[in-house]
Amino acid sequence: MLKIEHVSKRLGKEQILKDVSFEVAPGEVFGFLGPNGAGKTTTIRIITGLLEQDEGTVTVNGFDVVHERSKALTQIGAIVENPAFYTYMTGKQNLVHAKNLIPGLTQVDYEALAKLVGLEGKLSKKVGEYSLGMKQRLGIARALLHNPRVLILDEPTNGLDPAGIAELREYLRAMAREQDIAILISSHMLGEMEQISDRYAIIDQGVIKSVESVRNETGAKIMIRVPEINIRDVIEALRIANYPAERLNDHIIITAPETETPAIARLIVPIADLHELTVKRMTLEEQFLQVTKKEGDSHAFAHTK
């Protein structure tokens, strides 16, 4: 649905994006993660046609953002941080005003749209009476007026309390599934993105460092315990089989995909009694540190509980 292929961008002497590639599928919530200044906003500006890349292509539902700009942009809805509205107008009046600014858009089922975003019965209220969470949902409704196939949200949980964040999370996941919309969420809130995303990309210094599935991580930690006398032989067997392993007290820690657990167990059993085997999936924070520490990067991220 949304495809970014080998996109690079230079501003002045600075290389902002370097060979950026990833895809977002229909029905998927895709997290776009990285510290401030990593290239997230530049990428979004290119996707939405506000900035043109130097190299590479961006297509939305098959339309090239540069060469088929009008057709591509009709497929995209977007909100950036806290959406702005006329607070003295009702929710519906704000939506009608926005609809009138979209060429060729003649009819909108506002009640159906309100139900979709969780504002059923609330459009008659003035926006000045809305909570921040309601304003975020109204912003999403505005982004969906023209029935786009791709929804782009930049830091959508900014300013929301924990209840509002949880509500928005459940709503977005349900909408992606039920409406078959591809949702791209740009954020630096790793803990929150871990709960909402199906997959994610980590961008740092303009480079995509990793594209992974949240539900089936390639960087799981497999912890085993064998008799002390066998630890050295087991670690050597794992090394030969290309499973990175290290000793931690009386355990052996293996970094490998969770799907490799049966193969690892079969490898160990002929060598030693397997007293314990557990799997710990790495958090997004741990994964980020793993993919960046090779180059000595160190970034602070915000977290939600």
PDB file of all heavy atoms in Angstrom, residues 31-59:
ATOM      1  N   GLY A  31       5.131   1.146  13.023  1.00  0.00           N
ATOM      2  CA  GLY A  31       5.815   2.168  13.807  1.00  0.00           C
ATOM      3  C   GLY A  31       7.064   2.666  13.106  1.00  0.00           C
ATOM      4  O   GLY A  31       7.855   1.857  12.595  1.00  0.00           O
ATOM      5  N   PHE A  32       7.227   3.982  13.069  1.00  0.00           N
ATOM      6  CA  PHE A  32       8.413   4.596  12.458  1.00  0.00           C
ATOM      7  C   PHE A  32       9.157   5.285  13.590  1.00  0.00           C
ATOM      8  O   PHE A  32       8.741   6.346  14.073  1.00  0.00           O
ATOM      9  CB  PHE A  32       7.974   5.573  11.373  1.00  0.00           C
ATOM     10  CG  PHE A  32       9.097   6.058  10.493  1.00  0.00           C
ATOM     11  CD1 PHE A  32      10.136   5.226  10.117  1.00  0.00           C
ATOM     12  CD2 PHE A  32       9.092   7.359  10.002  1.00  0.00           C
ATOM     13  CE1 PHE A  32      11.160   5.665   9.294  1.00  0.00           C
ATOM     14  CE2 PHE A  32      10.098   7.819   9.171  1.00  0.00           C
ATOM     15  CZ  PHE A  32      11.132   6.966   8.821  1.00  0.00           C
ATOM     16  N   LEU A  33      10.243   4.677  14.051  1.00  0.00           N
ATOM     17  CA  LEU A  33      10.856   5.033  15.318  1.00  0.00           C
ATOM     18  C   LEU A  33      12.244   5.627  15.141  1.00  0.00           C
ATOM     19  O   LEU A  33      12.979   5.246  14.236  1.00  0.00           O
ATOM     20  CB  LEU A  33      10.962   3.786  16.207  1.00  0.00           C
ATOM     21  CG  LEU A  33       9.721   2.908  16.301  1.00  0.00           C
ATOM     22  CD1 LEU A  33      10.017   1.662  17.111  1.00  0.00           C
ATOM     23  CD2 LEU A  33       8.566   3.684  16.900  1.00  0.00           C
ATOM     24  N   GLY A  34      12.575   6.533  16.052  1.00  0.00           N
ATOM     25  CA  GLY A  34      13.914   7.102  16.038  1.00  0.00           C
ATOM     26  C   GLY A  34      13.966   8.351  16.885  1.00  0.00           C
ATOM     27  O   GLY A  34      12.934   8.955  17.189  1.00  0.00           O
ATOM     28  N   PRO A  35      15.162   8.764  17.291  1.00  0.00           N
ATOM     29  CA  PRO A  35      15.312   9.982  18.093  1.00  0.00           C
ATOM     30  C   PRO A  35      15.028  11.227  17.262  1.00  0.00           C
ATOM     31  O   PRO A  35      14.940  11.174  16.034  1.00  0.00           O
ATOM     32  CB  PRO A  35      16.779   9.928  18.524  1.00  0.00           C
ATOM     33  CG  PRO A  35      17.457   9.152  17.442  1.00  0.00           C
ATOM     34  CD  PRO A  35      16.460   8.121  16.990  1.00  0.00           C
ATOM     35  N   ASN A  36      14.882  12.357  17.941  1.00  0.00           N
ATOM     36  CA  ASN A  36      14.698  13.616  17.230  1.00  0.00           C
ATOM     37  C   ASN A  36      15.893  13.862  16.310  1.00  0.00           C
ATOM     38  O   ASN A  36      17.043  13.649  16.691  1.00  0.00           O
ATOM     39  CB  ASN A  36      14.574  14.783  18.230  1.00  0.00           C
ATOM     40  CG  ASN A  36      13.294  14.703  19.035  1.00  0.00           C
ATOM     41  OD1 ASN A  36      12.292  14.141  18.592  1.00  0.00           O
ATOM     42  ND2 ASN A  36      13.321  15.247  20.240  1.00  0.00           N
ATOM     43  N   GLY A  37      15.591  14.289  15.080  1.00  0.00           N
ATOM     44  CA  GLY A  37      16.648  14.552  14.121  1.00  0.00           C
ATOM     45  C   GLY A  37      17.119  13.335  13.356  1.00  0.00           C
ATOM     46  O   GLY A  37      18.068  13.414  12.581  1.00  0.00           O
ATOM     47  N   ALA A  38      16.432  12.192  13.542  1.00  0.00           N
ATOM     48  CA  ALA A  38      16.872  10.954  12.886  1.00  0.00           C
ATOM     49  C   ALA A  38      16.472  10.896  11.421  1.00  0.00           C
ATOM     50  O   ALA A  38      17.039  10.128  10.648  1.00  0.00           O
ATOM     51  CB  ALA A  38      16.297   9.741  13.618  1.00  0.00           C
ATOM     52  N   GLY A  39      15.463  11.698  11.014  1.00  0.00           N
ATOM     53  CA  GLY A  39      14.998  11.669   9.632  1.00  0.00           C
ATOM     54  C   GLY A  39      13.534  11.306   9.482  1.00  0.00           C
ATOM     55  O   GLY A  39      13.033  11.192   8.359  1.00  0.00           O
ATOM     56  N   LYS A  40      12.821  11.142  10.609  1.00  0.00           N
ATOM     57  CA  LYS A  40      11.411  10.750  10.544  1.00  0.00           C
ATOM     58  C   LYS A  40      10.570  11.817   9.840  1.00  0.00           C
ATOM     59  O   LYS A  40       9.803  11.508   8.919  1.00  0.00           O
ATOM     60  CB  LYS A  40      10.838  10.510  11.949  1.00  0.00           C
ATOM     61  CG  LYS A  40      11.546   9.436  12.750  1.00  0.00           C
ATOM     62  CD  LYS A  40      10.788   9.066  14.009  1.00  0.00           C
ATOM     63  CE  LYS A  40      10.534  10.225  14.945  1.00  0.00           C
ATOM     64  NZ  LYS A  40      11.785  10.801  15.502  1.00  0.00           N
ATOM     65  N   THR A  41      10.699  13.061  10.268  1.00  0.00           N
ATOM     66  CA  THR A  41       9.875  14.133   9.700  1.00  0.00           C
ATOM     67  C   THR A  41      10.195  14.356   8.230  1.00  0.00           C
ATOM     68  O   THR A  41       9.291  14.566   7.414  1.00  0.00           O
ATOM     69  CB  THR A  41      10.074  15.439  10.495  1.00  0.00           C
ATOM     70  OG1 THR A  41       9.671  15.223  11.856  1.00  0.00           O
ATOM     71  CG2 THR A  41       9.228  16.561   9.894  1.00  0.00           C
ATOM     72  N   THR A  42      11.460  14.297   7.867  1.00  0.00           N
ATOM     73  CA  THR A  42      11.842  14.454   6.458  1.00  0.00           C
ATOM     74  C   THR A  42      11.208  13.366   5.611  1.00  0.00           C
ATOM     75  O   THR A  42      10.695  13.622   4.512  1.00  0.00           O
ATOM     76  CB  THR A  42      13.369  14.417   6.303  1.00  0.00           C
ATOM     77  OG1 THR A  42      13.948  15.492   7.058  1.00  0.00           O
ATOM     78  CG2 THR A  42      13.767  14.560   4.842  1.00  0.00           C
ATOM     79  N   THR A  43      11.217  12.131   6.113  1.00  0.00           N
ATOM     80  CA  THR A  43      10.600  11.023   5.381  1.00  0.00           C
ATOM     81  C   THR A  43       9.109  11.262   5.196  1.00  0.00           C
ATOM     82  O   THR A  43       8.564  11.051   4.102  1.00  0.00           O
ATOM     83  CB  THR A  43      10.832   9.695   6.125  1.00  0.00           C
ATOM     84  OG1 THR A  43      12.241   9.489   6.306  1.00  0.00           O
ATOM     85  CG2 THR A  43      10.257   8.527   5.333  1.00  0.00           C
ATOM     86  N   ILE A  44       8.441  11.715   6.243  1.00  0.00           N
ATOM     87  CA  ILE A  44       7.004  11.979   6.157  1.00  0.00           C
ATOM     88  C   ILE A  44       6.716  13.105   5.182  1.00  0.00           C
ATOM     89  O   ILE A  44       5.753  13.059   4.404  1.00  0.00           O
ATOM     90  CB  ILE A  44       6.431  12.293   7.551  1.00  0.00           C
ATOM     91  CG1 ILE A  44       6.398  11.009   8.390  1.00  0.00           C
ATOM     92  CG2 ILE A  44       5.032  12.899   7.454  1.00  0.00           C
ATOM     93  CD1 ILE A  44       5.943  11.212   9.808  1.00  0.00           C
ATOM     94  N   ARG A  45       7.552  14.140   5.184  1.00  0.00           N
ATOM     95  CA  ARG A  45       7.363  15.247   4.238  1.00  0.00           C
ATOM     96  C   ARG A  45       7.508  14.768   2.796  1.00  0.00           C
ATOM     97  O   ARG A  45       6.800  15.249   1.900  1.00  0.00           O
ATOM     98  CB  ARG A  45       8.373  16.361   4.532  1.00  0.00           C
ATOM     99  CG  ARG A  45       8.042  17.151   5.793  1.00  0.00           C
ATOM    100  CD  ARG A  45       9.185  18.076   6.183  1.00  0.00           C
ATOM    101  NE  ARG A  45       9.471  19.051   5.157  1.00  0.00           N
ATOM    102  CZ  ARG A  45       8.834  20.216   5.016  1.00  0.00           C
ATOM    103  NH1 ARG A  45       7.862  20.536   5.847  1.00  0.00           N
ATOM    104  NH2 ARG A  45       9.170  21.050   4.060  1.00  0.00           N
ATOM    105  N   ILE A  46       8.396  13.816   2.567  1.00  0.00           N
ATOM    106  CA  ILE A  46       8.559  13.256   1.218  1.00  0.00           C
ATOM    107  C   ILE A  46       7.350  12.404   0.851  1.00  0.00           C
ATOM    108  O   ILE A  46       6.814  12.498  -0.266  1.00  0.00           O
ATOM    109  CB  ILE A  46       9.867  12.444   1.135  1.00  0.00           C
ATOM    110  CG1 ILE A  46      11.072  13.397   1.166  1.00  0.00           C
ATOM    111  CG2 ILE A  46       9.893  11.584  -0.132  1.00  0.00           C
ATOM    112  CD1 ILE A  46      12.403  12.693   1.280  1.00  0.00           C
ATOM    113  N   ILE A  47       6.874  11.584   1.782  1.00  0.00           N
ATOM    114  CA  ILE A  47       5.708  10.735   1.513  1.00  0.00           C
ATOM    115  C   ILE A  47       4.489  11.576   1.174  1.00  0.00           C
ATOM    116  O   ILE A  47       3.715  11.239   0.268  1.00  0.00           O
ATOM    117  CB  ILE A  47       5.408   9.832   2.723  1.00  0.00           C
ATOM    118  CG1 ILE A  47       6.536   8.811   2.936  1.00  0.00           C
ATOM    119  CG2 ILE A  47       4.072   9.095   2.535  1.00  0.00           C
ATOM    120  CD1 ILE A  47       6.414   8.036   4.242  1.00  0.00           C
ATOM    121  N   THR A  48       4.304  12.677   1.876  1.00  0.00           N
ATOM    122  CA  THR A  48       3.120  13.522   1.685  1.00  0.00           C
ATOM    123  C   THR A  48       3.297  14.577   0.606  1.00  0.00           C
ATOM    124  O   THR A  48       2.441  15.447   0.447  1.00  0.00           O
ATOM    125  CB  THR A  48       2.727  14.197   3.016  1.00  0.00           C
ATOM    126  OG1 THR A  48       3.860  14.908   3.547  1.00  0.00           O
ATOM    127  CG2 THR A  48       2.278  13.164   4.037  1.00  0.00           C
ATOM    128  N   GLY A  49       4.402  14.536  -0.122  1.00  0.00           N
ATOM    129  CA  GLY A  49       4.589  15.435  -1.249  1.00  0.00           C
ATOM    130  C   GLY A  49       5.026  16.833  -0.892  1.00  0.00           C
ATOM    131  O   GLY A  49       5.045  17.719  -1.753  1.00  0.00           O
ATOM    132  N   LEU A  50       5.405  17.068   0.369  1.00  0.00           N
ATOM    133  CA  LEU A  50       5.847  18.404   0.785  1.00  0.00           C
ATOM    134  C   LEU A  50       7.317  18.641   0.474  1.00  0.00           C
ATOM    135  O   LEU A  50       7.791  19.775   0.513  1.00  0.00           O
ATOM    136  CB  LEU A  50       5.601  18.589   2.286  1.00  0.00           C
ATOM    137  CG  LEU A  50       4.145  18.510   2.738  1.00  0.00           C
ATOM    138  CD1 LEU A  50       4.054  18.589   4.260  1.00  0.00           C
ATOM    139  CD2 LEU A  50       3.325  19.628   2.094  1.00  0.00           C
ATOM    140  N   LEU A  51       8.029  17.572   0.169  1.00  0.00           N
ATOM    141  CA  LEU A  51       9.448  17.649  -0.117  1.00  0.00           C
ATOM    142  C   LEU A  51       9.759  16.558  -1.137  1.00  0.00           C
ATOM    143  O   LEU A  51       9.178  15.477  -1.086  1.00  0.00           O
ATOM    144  CB  LEU A  51      10.253  17.416   1.174  1.00  0.00           C
ATOM    145  CG  LEU A  51      11.744  17.719   1.188  1.00  0.00           C
ATOM    146  CD1 LEU A  51      11.993  19.213   0.987  1.00  0.00           C
ATOM    147  CD2 LEU A  51      12.345  17.280   2.518  1.00  0.00           C
ATOM    148  N   GLU A  52      10.637  16.847  -2.084  1.00  0.00           N
ATOM    149  CA  GLU A  52      10.955  15.852  -3.104  1.00  0.00           C
ATOM    150  C   GLU A  52      12.316  15.217  -2.811  1.00  0.00           C
ATOM    151  O   GLU A  52      13.287  15.916  -2.508  1.00  0.00           O
ATOM    152  CB  GLU A  52      10.969  16.482  -4.494  1.00  0.00           C
ATOM    153  CG  GLU A  52      11.113  15.466  -5.618  1.00  0.00           C
ATOM    154  CD  GLU A  52      10.905  16.075  -6.997  1.00  0.00           C
ATOM    155  OE1 GLU A  52      10.141  17.057  -7.108  1.00  0.00           O
ATOM    156  OE2 GLU A  52      11.516  15.567  -7.965  1.00  0.00           O
ATOM    157  N   GLN A  53      12.364  13.912  -2.896  1.00  0.00           N
ATOM    158  CA  GLN A  53      13.607  13.192  -2.645  1.00  0.00           C
ATOM    159  C   GLN A  53      14.602  13.425  -3.776  1.00  0.00           C
ATOM    160  O   GLN A  53      14.221  13.763  -4.902  1.00  0.00           O
ATOM    161  CB  GLN A  53      13.322  11.689  -2.485  1.00  0.00           C
ATOM    162  CG  GLN A  53      12.842  10.992  -3.753  1.00  0.00           C
ATOM    163  CD  GLN A  53      11.332  10.999  -3.880  1.00  0.00           C
ATOM    164  OE1 GLN A  53      10.658  11.869  -3.347  1.00  0.00           O
ATOM    165  NE2 GLN A  53      10.808  10.014  -4.605  1.00  0.00           N
ATOM    166  N   ASP A  54      15.882  13.218  -3.478  1.00  0.00           N
ATOM    167  CA  ASP A  54      16.923  13.304  -4.504  1.00  0.00           C
ATOM    168  C   ASP A  54      17.016  12.004  -5.300  1.00  0.00           C
ATOM    169  O   ASP A  54      17.267  12.015  -6.507  1.00  0.00           O
ATOM    170  CB  ASP A  54      18.282  13.597  -3.855  1.00  0.00           C
ATOM    171  CG  ASP A  54      18.300  14.932  -3.137  1.00  0.00           C
ATOM    172  OD1 ASP A  54      17.584  15.852  -3.579  1.00  0.00           O
ATOM    173  OD2 ASP A  54      19.022  15.053  -2.124  1.00  0.00           O
ATOM    174  N   GLU A  55      16.820  10.893  -4.600  1.00  0.00           N
ATOM    175  CA  GLU A  55      16.884   9.581  -5.240  1.00  0.00           C
ATOM    176  C   GLU A  55      15.793   8.694  -4.657  1.00  0.00           C
ATOM    177  O   GLU A  55      15.293   8.933  -3.564  1.00  0.00           O
ATOM    178  CB  GLU A  55      18.262   8.926  -4.989  1.00  0.00           C
ATOM    179  CG  GLU A  55      19.432   9.688  -5.543  1.00  0.00           C
ATOM    180  CD  GLU A  55      20.753   9.032  -5.171  1.00  0.00           C
ATOM    181  OE1 GLU A  55      20.726   7.869  -4.710  1.00  0.00           O
ATOM    182  OE2 GLU A  55      21.799   9.677  -5.320  1.00  0.00           O
ATOM    183  N   GLY A  56      15.422   7.644  -5.415  1.00  0.00           N
ATOM    184  CA  GLY A  56      14.461   6.672  -4.926  1.00  0.00           C
ATOM    185  C   GLY A  56      13.028   7.021  -5.306  1.00  0.00           C
ATOM    186  O   GLY A  56      12.763   8.050  -5.940  1.00  0.00           O
ATOM    187  N   THR A  57      12.103   6.147  -4.911  1.00  0.00           N
ATOM    188  CA  THR A  57      10.689   6.335  -5.242  1.00  0.00           C
ATOM    189  C   THR A  57       9.807   6.095  -4.026  1.00  0.00           C
ATOM    190  O   THR A  57      10.145   5.303  -3.135  1.00  0.00           O
ATOM    191  CB  THR A  57      10.240   5.363  -6.360  1.00  0.00           C
ATOM    192  OG1 THR A  57      10.441   4.018  -5.914  1.00  0.00           O
ATOM    193  CG2 THR A  57      11.013   5.602  -7.638  1.00  0.00           C
ATOM    194  N   VAL A  58       8.678   6.787  -4.014  1.00  0.00           N
ATOM    195  CA  VAL A  58       7.629   6.578  -3.018  1.00  0.00           C
ATOM    196  C   VAL A  58       6.332   6.361  -3.768  1.00  0.00           C
ATOM    197  O   VAL A  58       5.938   7.200  -4.587  1.00  0.00           O
ATOM    198  CB  VAL A  58       7.486   7.786  -2.066  1.00  0.00           C
ATOM    199  CG1 VAL A  58       6.324   7.561  -1.098  1.00  0.00           C
ATOM    200  CG2 VAL A  58       8.776   8.037  -1.304  1.00  0.00           C
ATOM    201  N   THR A  59       5.662   5.244  -3.513  1.00  0.00           N
ATOM    202  CA  THR A  59       4.371   4.978  -4.149  1.00  0.00           C
ATOM    203  C   THR A  59       3.318   4.727  -3.075  1.00  0.00           C
ATOM    204  O   THR A  59       3.597   4.102  -2.049  1.00  0.00           O
ATOM    205  CB  THR A  59       4.430   3.765  -5.095  1.00  0.00           C
ATOM    206  OG1 THR A  59       4.925   2.631  -4.379  1.00  0.00           O
ATOM    207  CG2 THR A  59       5.326   4.045  -6.287  1.00  0.00           C
TER     208      THR A  59
END
